Amino acid sequence: ELAEFNLGVFSEVQAQSAVLSQCDNSIDGDDTNGFVEFDLFSADTDVLGGLSPSEYTVSYHRNQADADNGVNAIVTSFTNVVVSADQVIARVENNGNSDCYDTAVVSLVVEALPTLDASVVELRQCDDDTDGLSDFNLTEAEELISSNYQNETFSYHQTQADAQSGSNAITNPLIYSNIDPSSNADRLYVRVMSSGGCYRVAALDLVVSTTQIPIGFELLYEVCDGYDVDNDNTNGIETFDFSDATALIEAEYPAGQNITVSYYQNIEDALSETDAIVDISNYRNESSAFEQRIVVRVDSDVDNSCLGLGEHIVLRTVNPQPNRDPQDLILCDDITPGDLTELFDLTQNEFYILNSEADVVASYHTSIADAEAGTGAISTPSAYPNTSPTQTIYVRVTNSVTGCYARVEFDIQVNPLPSTVPVEDLLACEDNTDGIFDFDLESKTLEVLGGQDPSLYQVTYHQTQADADALNNGLSSPYANTSNPQPIYVAITNVQTGCSVSTQGFNLVVQEAAIFNPGGVPVVYEVCDTVNANDGFAQFDLSTQSATILDDQDPVDFSISYHASMEDAMNNVTPLPLLYENLENPQTIYARVSNKIAPEECFDIGPVVLQVNGLPETVLEEVYVLCTTTNGTEVVETPPVIDTGLSGIDYSFEWYYNGVLLDTELGSSIIATASGDYEVLITDLTTSVQTNCSNSFSTVVIDSDLPELTAEVTTAAFSNAHVIEAMATGIGVYEYSLDNGSWQTEGVFEDVTIGLHTITARDRNGCGLVRVEVMVMDYPRYFTPNGDGSNELWQISGIENQPNAKIYIFDRYGKLLVQLSPTGQGWDGTYNGNLMPSDDYWFSVNYTEPITGDPKIFKAHFTLKR
């Protein structure tokens, strides 16, 4: 029989282990016994591990055998049998084939709930005023709720529902204010969560009670501010010991009560019970100088309830409170200038320093030690001579009732007067002067200051000494003098200190001005470059320019000096010698015209251009060639043209032949029709009308000619090496070339190859060349008749002019292969139409020796290559 069935391939099944964790609950009536109901099917996703739930089915079994057999599946919720921990077996089965399955362990874990010491706890806080509201540190309830609080997590909620769901937790449990101001407690709910994520909820009541410390109770502690710790007795910060306050506060409560007294810097810390003052016997009021109020908190040791709260301690420093920033006392060194000592009235600052405070007195001291000790006071503070230019005075301000004191400092300072230097008179130069001139007085300022910083000092100018002393009626520039000469009085004032000195002065003097080149025509001194031609350097006689520079000024009253730079001329240093050689071309030097009476004040400077005009320049050939005969191969112009290449408009020319002036030759070039010496004198017509510089140039014209040429082979036919000798004659200088090869001065050519050769001789002066042909008789050592068109035939070269010569070719066995005609093309390497093989072949030739004319026979062999 035949039957139908389906073949299928199913994927391998891999089940994943899983863990189900659940907090203990009271479904069975006990939330501490470790038994709970588990929803096993909530583990399906973990067990499948990525397998599709549409293709695979998960079932849970109590043991491995049931899981392997797929029986007794747990179909409802499952309560663990083992306390707090149990396991079941999960079976993952392929829906298409039940034989494809896998199993995995699912662990069941019961997490214990937190154990609470109390389900309802209470926090009591003192009211910091009378509104029935106060701030609580809720975290203080944690150790009351659970003895395992350090391993648990707490959150605080305003409703029990929020605590159960873990939502809307109070954000800052360290500072939480109750809402109900009545005597009723505010109830909050605390969610206590274990490390396993299980929780219980406890109730927290907040109770606000009135402080039991009397409202008027206050303890005052006063001390003098000292230097012991911070070296400052003016900042109001000192060390306080109020350790006796605890006994005084405890005395306000009934005897026998168990209470704890603690101290805080502010009410917020006291309410949250954070940052309590640790050492009340050694406390510094750094957070509140001069006066600080300390908050006292009293707590019951029985139930930690607050029994007292408020600012009941005052810490106060009682030093005098002077103004600590008096102005420094500053005087100018007027009494004896230079000693920097003056008399000071130190009490000028006293009213300000004491600050209208009662029962305080001031004493003045020169050291901190004396001021602190109250010793060595200055006996006459209203007339105290300083001991150094800048000195610190220490003022001890003492309260005559408490004995506490404060120290104030200020400086006394003597400022020096501005320094003075001698000042030269201020001279003005004026052309055709009337003795009156508008002077720039400020031009003397830098000289008056003598190197002192002009930004720190003000200089003023005055007509009288009294005005200068009083700094009145300062003169402004320009200032027209009223007499010649006229005295001017000067005052220097330090703009920072106000100290001034008025002991300087100078005269205003008007002199005749010096003028450079009154005519205004530029001074250009030109010479031709006759020494070391056209190097741009020449010698100048500067004295020749003095008359032009002075013009109509009297040389008796004025002097002239020449300088390489404007700076040298301005400073009247490094004059140039009157015979001077320029350093560049053109070069500008500077002439200084000076009034002989006031040469440093009355002078004028102008440029003098030293210009070296170059000589005309051209380039002539050293030798020009005149060819006596030509054949069209000459490479030189003949007759030659001697050309300067210069403009006939810018230059003039004089030509000489063998020393004789050619008065008709006036152009820039000349045609040389005869050999000999030629010279041209060239004059520059354009560079300068002052110089018209000239220069002469010379050259030589020589005769030359074509050669007469002969050439012959000087070695016998069929020699190992052939030599051709050529001879050129004529008036020229000749050189030779073989077959258009390189030129040589000798006509001998060695190792010449066989065949026809061309010998060329040329005139080295350029007058042309001639050629002859020479034949070298010899035979080729091999030939290659392979049809490539190269070296296809074998023939003796140079024998074609001997038609009676006989040429025979044999193979190596002496068999005659062919007889060649001297005038024929040669042997093609065949015999009776057949190609002869590659081999050596012999030949014999009967010929006439070209050199001697004797009949000869020559035999040798050559190679045929295929």
Side-chain angles (χ1 to χ4, degrees), residues 586-598:
Q587 178 182 353
T588 300
I589 63 174
Y590 297 89
R592 176 187 173 111
V593 181
S594 303
N595 183 311
K596 291 183 178 180
I597 297 177

Side-chain angles (χ1 to χ4, degrees), residues 22-25 28 33-38 40 62 77-88 107-111:
Q22 188 165 318
C23 295
D24 202 350
N25 54 49
D28 59 355
N33 61 6
F35 295 103
V36 299
E37 289 185 359
F38 288 88
L40 299 179
R62 192 68 189 89
S77 60
F78 175 74
T79 301
N80 58 304
V81 178
V82 180
V83 177
S84 299
D86 204 345
Q87 69 178 29
V88 294
S107 298
L108 307 177
V109 178
V110 180
E111 298 285 354

Side-chain angles (χ1 to χ4, degrees), residues 553-575:
Q553 296 173 103
D554 192 342
V556 175
D557 297 327
F558 298 92
S559 63
I560 299 178
S561 59
Y562 298 89
H563 304 265
S565 67
M566 175 64 79
E567 183 180 4
D568 286 351
M570 290 295 297
N571 296 324
N572 198 18
V573 297
T574 318

Side-chain angles (χ1 to χ4, degrees), residues 332-384:
C332 295
D333 190 17
D334 290 325
I335 297 177
T336 306
D339 67 354
L340 295 177
T341 300
E342 298 291 321
L343 286 178
F344 285 87
D345 180 4
L346 304 180
T347 64
Q348 290 181 72
N349 288 327
E350 189 167 299
F351 179 79
Y352 176 77
I353 292 172
L354 295 183
N355 198 22
S356 301
E357 192 173 352
D359 301 322
V360 294
V361 293
S363 59
Y364 298 85
H365 306 263
T366 59
S367 70
I368 294 178
D370 284 349
E372 290 298 315
T375 60
I378 296 172
S379 58
T380 312
S382 61
Y384 172 71

Side-chain angles (χ1 to χ4, degrees), residues 150 408 496 663 692:
Q150 293 178 331
V408 178
Q496 294 181 339
D663 52 9
N692 289 126

